Amino acid sequence: MSRIIEIITARGSRIFSEDELPLAIGSGENAQIPLPAGPETAAWLAESRGYLYLQAEAGSSVYHNHEHLAGSVWIKSGDTTCIGDYLLCWRLMGDRVEVQVQEARRQQAVLAPPVVEPPVESSATKTLPRVEQRPGPARSGRRFVVAASLLLLLLAAAAVFLLTAERVQIKVQPLPDHLQLSGFPPAVKIGDTFLCLSGRYRFSAERIGYRPLLTQLAIGPGRDHFSFTLEKLPGRVSFTSSPVSGVEVRVDGRVIGKTPLENVELAAGKHRLRAQVDRYLPLERDLMVEGAGRKQAVSLVMQPGWAEVTLASDPAGATVMEQENRLGTTPLTLQLMAGKHKLSFVKEGFTPAQLVLAVTAGISPAPKPVKLSPAPARVHFRSIPPGATVVAGDRLLGTTPVTVDLPAGSRTIHLQLAGYQPMALTRRFAPAADEEVAVKLVPRYGTVFLTTDPVDAVLFIDGKKHGPATGRLRLTTRKHRLTVRARGFVDASRTILPREGVGTRLAIQLRKKGEKKESHPSEGNTGATPYIGMIGLGPATVLMGAPRREPGRRANEQERTVRLGRPFLLAEKLVTNGEFRRFQPGHRSGNIGGATLDGEQQPVVNVSWQDAAAYCNWLSRKQGLPEFYRRQGKTMVPVRPFNTGYRLPTEAEWSFGARMAGRERRARYPWPGKFPPRTVAGNFADESARSLLPVVIGGYNDGFGVTAPVGRFPKNPGGFFDMGGNVRQWCHDWYSAYAGLGEQKETVDGMGPASGTHHVVRGSSWRDATMTTLRLSYRGYSKVGKDDIGFRVARYKK
């Protein structure tokens, strides 16, 4: 820090910095140290090598410490300077110098004659008496005696001094140019030591480039060795910077200012220098200060903290944004600071694109032009009636009314609703367009011949009054709830699914109030026969399992051949909750995490293999077919010989329908291509189930967190729905690993092992997300019902 000089006068005080030296002393207007009277400039206060000195102006009367000053003199604390009638008192306190200007006090001599009058002489003048010189031999003798006595006295004093004096050693590093030990009696310097009596002495040492040393020494027995180190004067360092000024400079973590900086006092030695300014890289290095009042110049060359980047887009003219800041329009060349930048390219009619760019200072990256895709069109789908499923390509868009974003261009849209003819539309959507697609669906009708007892009963269809119950009904080919009422009778309700072009007969007999209800113990609610869509297959040969090197393959997937020699029928859809509750009205599939599994159109789950087999027998009875299973102990076993009643599909039949029917080669997944699926192909563990399941397919969203309504997703080439996804499915077979080589031979119409503890479960479900479990060759097994296991039915044609 620079030294400050405070001038204190009767009118107040003024403060000057060391950089403002020299200061003029006098009565002139330009004098920094003002005197009320006297010459305009009497003297100067200046500095050399860190020391203050006073220099008298030629022809001025200046007395310093009561001695006439003709040249210059170093200033020490406590000095006084007299100029005319004014006195300057100097006090030096570290980096502060205090100069007090005050009027010199002069005592006026008071002159007075003696009180006693002088005697009156007769003569006006009185001559002085004459003194005659006498011979002096005697006086010469007396002088010799006095001189000898004084010499003896001095010798005695010197002897006493030598006997009582302390031998004092004072070491000063580095060696001073001048040193002095002052006091009384005076110290005697002999070589590198001083002889002095015990007491207090003032010691001073000076060397150019170092601060003066001034201290009091208490000298006495045992206190005769002293060591001192002179403090080096700070260096005077100037800082400049390029190519930019205003750089903040820190030395040892302390801010000393912004460039340019001149004559900054820094202690001699090694320092840590840091320079920083916006848009430039921080500069950090060691700084060696020479000190001793010497001047040094430090040049700071700052390196840019940015790189020049050229950005382009296809098409051009996109606005480039970084957060809320608009950077410009492509093509664009700009400076980006070093670091990671997330840039957005925005152009009307196109989907915004993102570019993440890592910038290194001084290195210009060359990113490729950003490709902008046309913005999707926002399309609002409406249908009469609502509730139609909307599909674009392989993408399920939802059910009407629904609003979705579709890529610009020509698109074929399919709308499906139970009881109505499917509709296909081809539309071209402009980029960023907002359009509405409204369609009126054409109903499909089936005929139902209804007879009731009593004949005067009233019919309600889907809760609305229709009229007389007995008669011919023309109903759309979707599920309808028929309710028959008559006075004095208990209401009866049935759910029916009419088929287009096929007449269905239904007879309902009402029970009089008070009569007991008759029911078949194994049938429960004997409603209308459910419509089962069956697809004929076989004869065929099935290659089961998977190649040994197929990714995700498990040990129980040994390849083996099964020949399906007897033609069979396989249901195109899974059994729903609504269909199963006609057999067991009290069944509930449950819920998961607040999401229901119990919807009428959702696949039935949480049913055991025995429950599924019992449903097949019930369905056979409803359609007049022989029951395929018979109860044996706690389980169900097939009736031999095998008949045409409804049953669960064999593992080979299921595998043929899932992997080979309608295809030229075996399928690996329920979708074309590799894992993971690129389009919505089924109900798997997706993003909507992330809160329910530990593992999901990242980025895949089929819209259903748990089970989906049966048939909601596209059917496979064989015409079957949900052969992959939604729920796993019970098969007829007992489970076996089929790991032995002896089991590689071809089997014909195999029903699996004769016994076991678990039954085969095939397919994948809403819980599955891995490559292994989503493959169509994956084999599972279970002996209890679960929330992701359902079933479909099969039977032999004849």
Side-chain angles (χ1 to χ4, degrees):
M1 181 177 178
S2 299
R3 186 180 297 167
I4 63 170
I5 299 99
E6 182 176 9
I7 312 302
I8 302 174
T9 65
R11 295 183 178 181
S13 65
R14 293 180 63 187
I15 294 177
F16 298 91
S17 69
E18 193 173 24
D19 295 334
E20 295 178 90
L21 294 174
L23 303 179
I25 305 173
S27 62
E29 293 182 356
N30 296 326
Q32 287 87 1
I33 303 178
L35 300 177
E40 289 190 0
T41 302
W44 296 88
L45 175 63
E47 177 265 346
S48 176
R49 303 194 304 276
Y51 295 93
L52 294 177
Y53 67 89
L54 181 71
Q55 181 172 315
E57 184 75 3
S60 298
S61 178
V62 179
Y63 289 85
H64 188 76
N65 292 338
H66 307 292
E67 295 183 0
H68 184 265
L69 180 62
S72 59
V73 64
W74 298 108
I75 294 177
K76 301 186 294 299
S77 183
D79 290 351
T80 60
T81 302
C82 184
I83 302 176
D85 294 335
Y86 297 94
L87 187 67
L88 281 70
C89 299
W90 304 90
R91 293 184 63 193
L92 278 64
M93 299 168 287
D95 290 327
R96 184 173 179 274
V97 178
E98 183 180 289
V99 184
Q100 289 194 355
V101 181
Q102 59 190 27
E103 188 174 356
R105 296 181 180 178
R106 298 177 181 272
Q107 291 188 357
Q108 185 69 30
V110 180
L111 303 178
V115 179
V116 181
E117 293 291 336
V120 180
E121 298 291 338
S122 58
S123 176
T125 58
K126 184 177 180 179
T127 60
L128 293 173
R130 181 182 299 276
V131 178
E132 296 182 356
Q133 185 173 359
R134 298 177 182 272
R139 182 171 295 185
S140 296
R142 288 195 298 270
R143 288 179 178 174
F144 175 78
V145 172
V146 172
S149 299
L150 291 174
L151 179 59
L152 290 173
L153 186 59
L154 290 174
L155 290 173
V160 172
F161 178 79
L162 291 173
L163 292 173
T164 60
E166 298 288 343
R167 187 181 183 87
V168 179
Q169 289 187 349
I170 303 177
K171 293 182 180 181
V172 181
Q173 294 292 337
L175 292 176
D177 298 328
H178 170 75
L179 59 82
Q180 182 180 2
L181 186 64
S182 58
F184 185 83
V188 178
K189 190 174 187 302
I190 303 175
D192 294 336
T193 62
F194 292 89
L195 291 178
C196 54
L197 297 179
S198 296
R200 299 186 70 82
Y201 285 79
R202 182 178 181 185
F203 175 72
S204 62
E206 296 179 358
R207 179 184 173 91
I208 296 176
Y210 292 81
R211 295 190 185 277
L213 174 64
L214 180 63
T215 185
Q216 294 283 338
L217 300 181
I219 296 174
R223 298 193 301 274
D224 53 4
H225 285 73
F226 300 92
S227 296
F228 298 98
T229 300
L230 295 179
E231 180 185 354
K232 206 172 189 179
L233 287 173
R236 298 177 180 275
V237 186
S238 297
F239 296 90
T240 58
S241 62
S242 63
V244 63
S245 59
V247 177
E248 181 185 81
V249 180
R250 293 173 177 260
V251 176
D252 298 332
R254 180 173 61 92
V255 179
I256 63 172
K258 295 184 178 181
T259 59
L261 296 169
E262 294 185 359
N263 295 328
V264 177
E265 286 192 356
L266 294 176
K270 186 178 179 181
H271 298 270
R272 192 62 180 168
L273 171 67
R274 179 180 174 87
Q276 60 188 37
V277 68
D278 287 344
R279 295 182 56 78
Y280 287 83
L281 296 176
L283 175 63
E284 195 163 354
R285 71 185 194 196
D286 291 332
L287 173 64
M288 186 62 68
V289 177
E290 298 179 17
R294 296 187 181 93
K295 292 187 177 182
Q296 291 176 246
V298 177
S299 179
L300 305 173
V301 180
M302 308 301 293
Q303 299 298 323
W306 68 83
E308 196 167 80
V309 182
T310 298
L311 302 174
S313 65
D314 181 17
T319 300
V320 183
M321 305 286 293
E322 184 172 21
Q323 294 181 351
E324 301 298 327
N325 300 322
R326 184 182 185 277
L327 304 183
T329 304
T330 59
L332 172 66
T333 299
L334 73 166
Q335 294 175 348
L336 291 179
M337 298 301 295
K340 190 175 182 180
H341 296 265
K342 188 174 183 181
L343 306 178
S344 299
F345 291 72
V346 182
K347 184 177 176 66
E348 186 176 357
F350 292 84
T351 300
Q354 303 290 329
L355 175 63
V356 178
L357 196 60
V359 176
T360 303
I363 301 177
S364 296
K368 295 180 180 179
V370 175
K371 182 71 175 178
L372 298 177
S373 302
R378 173 147 290 193
V379 185
H380 310 274
F381 289 97
R382 306 281 187 270
S383 69
I384 301 175
T389 300
V390 184
V391 178
D394 292 335
R395 181 184 171 192
L396 177 65
L397 305 182
T399 57
T400 58
V402 63
T403 299
V404 295
D405 290 335
L406 291 178
S410 181
R411 295 286 178 268
T412 299
I413 311 299
H414 297 271
L415 292 94
Q416 297 178 348
L417 180 62
Y420 293 83
Q421 295 180 9
M423 181 172 289
L425 307 172
T426 300
R427 293 286 182 89
R428 177 172 293 278
F429 300 106
D434 193 322
E435 299 186 23
E436 181 176 83
V437 176
V439 298
K440 185 175 182 180
L441 300 176
V442 178
R444 301 168 65 179
Y445 292 99
T447 302
V448 177
F449 297 94
L450 176 64
T451 59
T452 63
D453 183 12
V455 295
D456 59 348
V458 178
L459 175 65
F460 290 80
I461 302 177
D462 298 328
K464 296 182 179 180
K465 186 175 181 180
H466 173 72
T470 299
R472 176 177 177 273
L473 303 175
R474 186 169 181 261
L475 301 176
T476 57
T477 55
R478 64 178 182 85
K479 290 184 179 181
H480 296 276
R481 186 71 169 171
L482 306 183
T483 301
V484 179
R485 296 176 182 174
R487 185 184 299 275
F489 291 83
V490 178
D491 295 351
S493 297
R494 302 288 186 271
T495 299
I496 189 169
L497 179 63
R499 288 184 292 168
E500 188 176 18
V502 177
T504 303
R505 296 186 177 276
L506 177 64
I508 300 177
Q509 182 175 2
L510 301 184
R511 176 171 52 88
K512 291 183 179 181
K513 293 181 178 179
E515 290 183 351
K516 291 185 179 180
K517 180 180 178 181
E518 295 182 0
S519 61
H520 192 287
S522 64
E523 294 183 3
N525 186 357
T526 57
T529 302
Y531 168 72
I532 306 296
M534 307 290 285
I535 296 176
L537 299 173
T541 299
V542 186
L543 179 59
M544 307 281 286
R548 296 183 63 182
R549 296 185 179 181
E550 180 174 292
R553 177 187 184 275
R554 298 206 316 170
N556 67 352
E557 296 176 27
Q558 290 277 14
E559 288 189 315
R560 58 191 180 93
T561 302
V562 177
R563 185 160 61 88
L564 304 175
R566 187 174 178 180
F568 65 97
L569 300 170
L570 182 63
E572 61 182 4
K573 294 182 180 181
L574 298 165
V575 176
T576 66
N577 284 311
E579 292 167 343
F580 192 80
R581 276 196 280 266
R582 297 178 193 175
F583 165 62
Q584 286 187 2
H587 177 77
R588 293 295 178 264
S589 289
N591 62 78
I592 297 290
T596 184
L597 304 172
D598 209 38
E600 287 287 306
Q601 296 301 315
Q602 288 174 278
V604 64
V605 293
N606 284 318
V607 292
S608 67
W609 185 93
Q610 287 76 16
D611 290 336
Y615 175 84
C616 292
N617 279 355
W618 172 83
L619 190 60
S620 296
R621 292 195 303 273
K622 298 297 289 184
Q623 295 193 7
L625 297 173
E627 295 183 3
F628 188 86
Y629 296 100
R630 63 182 177 84
R631 185 167 296 279
Q632 180 174 303
K634 294 183 179 180
T635 188
M636 306 280 282
V637 296
V639 175
R640 294 181 181 271
F642 302 142
N643 57 43
T644 58
Y646 283 101
R647 58 177 170 81
L648 295 172
T650 66
E651 185 179 9
E653 291 170 342
W654 188 96
S655 182
F656 183 79
R659 304 183 65 187
M660 299 179 66
R663 307 177 194 262
E664 294 182 359
R665 53 188 301 178
R666 282 192 307 175
R668 179 179 295 183
Y669 299 105
W671 60 85
K674 300 180 180 180
F675 178 86
R678 302 300 180 188
T679 59
V680 176
N683 180 20
F684 311 121
D686 67 336
E687 294 288 354
S688 66
R690 187 172 288 277
S691 62
L692 301 174
L693 303 176
V695 179
V696 300
I697 304 173
Y700 182 83
N701 195 334
D702 55 51
F704 295 94
V706 292
T707 57
V710 167
R712 180 59 59 91
F713 296 92
K715 56 188 176 183
N716 73 0
F720 299 101
F721 294 92
D722 299 318
M723 291 300 270
N726 215 359
V727 294
R728 299 184 292 155
Q729 299 162 43
W730 287 117
C731 290
H732 172 85
D733 312 43
W734 290 103
Y735 173 77
S736 172
Y738 290 113
L741 293 176
E743 296 173 343
Q744 305 301 311
K745 61 184 180 180
E746 181 180 276
T747 59
V748 179
D749 292 333
M751 284 282 179
S755 62
T757 57
H758 297 78
H759 280 92
V760 173
V761 177
R762 291 297 298 268
S764 53
S765 77
W766 60 274
R767 284 185 173 274
D768 295 315
T770 66
M771 176 188 295
T772 295
T773 57
L774 290 177
R775 292 176 310 111
L776 291 171
S777 61
Y778 177 77
R779 301 180 71 222
Y781 54 87
S782 182
K783 60 181 178 180
V784 296
K786 296 182 180 180
D787 59 14
D788 68 336
I789 297 180
F791 69 97
R792 69 180 69 227
V793 298
R795 72 181 183 89
Y796 287 123
K797 281 187 178 180
K798 55 184 179 178

